């Protein structure tokens, strides 16, 4: 009998991924990290340029325990900076927490923060795998439905790989937490749920006639 | 007759706020900056710690041309770091842009990026104004509805003020843009609209009986 496959290691805290305050909000299961990452398609990428922080929104994808980012080779300081640490943060806002005191107003959220030095992806096979992960993270099924990248397109796309080695996940959920004496106040308290919803797909006006919205798009973006 | 009030100056580009690529996406009207900031309640705050970037989600509020952030005085490297540059980014995802080629897949978004050295707010009057801006940005009307901060709560809250002096706004909207020859492909293309929606307010289970959801909450968070 072969030994069972090793379970994915949990997230082990480093000094900067250890949750300092409100430790009950920390999650250390790798599945929680994957879930937070997979539920969004835009992250906030932090880099240091001339000693100052820069935070830009960008698309990303995940393949196993690698997070992929991409950009034009003609672009940005971001992809030019080799061997420098970056930080990738993904946040979902789940609810507005309205307490009896303004001091305890809060937000329900799930967030993941990943630190590391990214590796520039050079081989075409991994580049394609990375771009597939990014496109499929925006809209599953689109990689096979749309035209694949040409050699020229592939060459003009820079791809970074960031291992999910150093990461933290933080979740705030549930009801407001007020000061004990404030529960007697005549003030409403509760949570306003926040959701991301999708509208009906809007065809490109230049779309050739007779092409229906594909089933994989309808299936993924049915609004609840 | 007194002269008309001076119009707010437009956003003047610095090296890092000048949009390098896809310049048609840049917005330089200060009203666009305000609109992007006012339509969200969570930003991504970027700081540099030990030379590495750190990006954390946090609430914020705007009062005129000042952006306010807050945190516990017991917390974080973030608020401890005086006189250091920070970057605050706010992003709205408005649509998934599905093109005929994977290469032209994109995301419709509005984003604002603000750079600067924040000022630690010390006076109680400005602190209260800042906290009001933050709470009202989460849920308008809550500042007056909920219990005001006590002196102790106020003292334990650190507030940072960031002037909206150096900022950029970028917007991508509309249809996919494909390569000319790809418009003949038998591939659907269009946009899946993405919206933030709100669920019905969920009362705190510990709420005293007989307190209805306030009108200002119902009015703001009616789901469309």
């Amino acid at each position: 009998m072969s030994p069972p496959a090793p379970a994915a290691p949990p997230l082990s805290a480093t000094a900067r991924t250890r949750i300092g305050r409100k430790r009950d909000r920390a999650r250390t299961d790798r599945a929680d990290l994957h879930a937070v990452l997979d539920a969004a398609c835009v992250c906030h990428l932090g880099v240091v340029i001339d000693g100052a922080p820069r935070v830009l929104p960008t698309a990303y994808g995940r393949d196993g325990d690698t997070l992929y980012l991409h950009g034009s080779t003609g672009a940005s300081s971001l992809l030019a900076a080799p061997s420098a640490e970056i930080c990738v943060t993904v946040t979902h806002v789940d609810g507005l927490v309205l307490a009896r005191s303004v001091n305890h107003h809060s937000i329900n959220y799930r967030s993941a923060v990943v630190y590391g030095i990214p590796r520039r992806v050079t081989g075409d096979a991994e580049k394609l795998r990375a771009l597939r992960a990014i496109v499929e993270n925006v809209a599953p099924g689109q990689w096979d439905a749309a035209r694949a990248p040409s050699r020229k397109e592939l060459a003009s796309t820079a791809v970074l790989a960031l291992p999910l080695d150093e990461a933290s996940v933080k979740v705030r959920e549930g009801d407001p937490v007020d000061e004990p004496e404030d529960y007697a106040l005549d003030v409403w308290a509760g949570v306003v749920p926040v959701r991301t919803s999708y509208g009906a797909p809007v065809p490109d006006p230049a779309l050739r006639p007779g092409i229906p919205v594909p089933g994989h798009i309808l299936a993924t973006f049915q609004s609840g």
Side-chain angles (χ1 to χ4, degrees), chain A:
Chain A
M1 260 176 61
S2 56
L11 304 174
S12 55
T14 58
R16 60 188 171 183
T17 60
R18 186 167 294 117
I19 307 296
R21 298 182 64 255
K22 313 211 171 173
R23 290 181 193 174
D24 56 310
R25 298 186 183 174
R27 299 286 181 276
T28 55
D29 192 330
R30 188 161 286 272
D32 291 322
L33 173 63
H34 292 174
V36 170
L37 295 176
D38 295 354
C41 63
V42 170
C43 67
H44 282 81
L45 167 64
V47 295
V48 177
I49 295 185
D50 298 334
R54 185 170 300 188
V55 179
L56 297 174
T58 189
Y60 67 95
R62 181 180 73 85
D63 184 358
D65 277 308
T66 302
L67 191 140
Y68 287 109
L69 305 166
H70 75 319
S72 163
T73 51
S76 83
S77 32
L78 302 187
L79 295 159
S83 321
E85 286 220 59
I86 65 173
C87 176
V88 172
T89 300
V90 172
T91 304
H92 304 271
V93 173
D94 293 327
L96 312 177
V97 181
L98 310 183
R100 295 158 184 84
S101 66
V102 299
N103 195 58
H104 283 294
H105 274 60
S106 186
I107 289 170
N108 280 342
Y109 66 93
R110 290 161 288 146
S111 71
V113 181
V114 184
Y115 299 95
I117 297 177
R119 166 176 59 83
R120 179 80 176 258
V121 175
T122 50
D124 278 0
E126 188 183 0
K127 237 185 194 183
L128 285 167
R129 208 162 63 239
L131 295 175
R132 181 188 186 108
I134 296 169
V135 167
E136 291 286 299
N137 196 37
V138 172
Q142 279 298 104
W143 184 263
D144 290 328
R147 176 177 65 71
S150 66
R151 295 203 63 81
K152 189 178 160 193
E153 287 170 342
L154 206 55
S156 67
T157 305
V159 173
L160 295 182
L162 182 67
L164 297 178
D165 289 340
E166 186 179 358
S168 65
V169 177
K170 211 168 164 185
V171 176
R172 198 255 182 241
E173 54 194 351
D175 303 305
V177 177
D178 270 303
E179 299 299 324
E181 62 273 22
D182 287 342
Y183 283 83
L185 291 176
D186 192 25
V187 176
W188 189 85
V191 173
V192 177
V194 178
R195 301 193 191 100
T196 297
S197 63
Y198 302 99
V202 179
D204 183 350
L207 189 66
R208 283 180 51 206
I211 303 182
V213 181
H216 66 272
I217 297 300
L218 290 174
T220 304
F221 300 109
Q222 294 286 22
S223 269

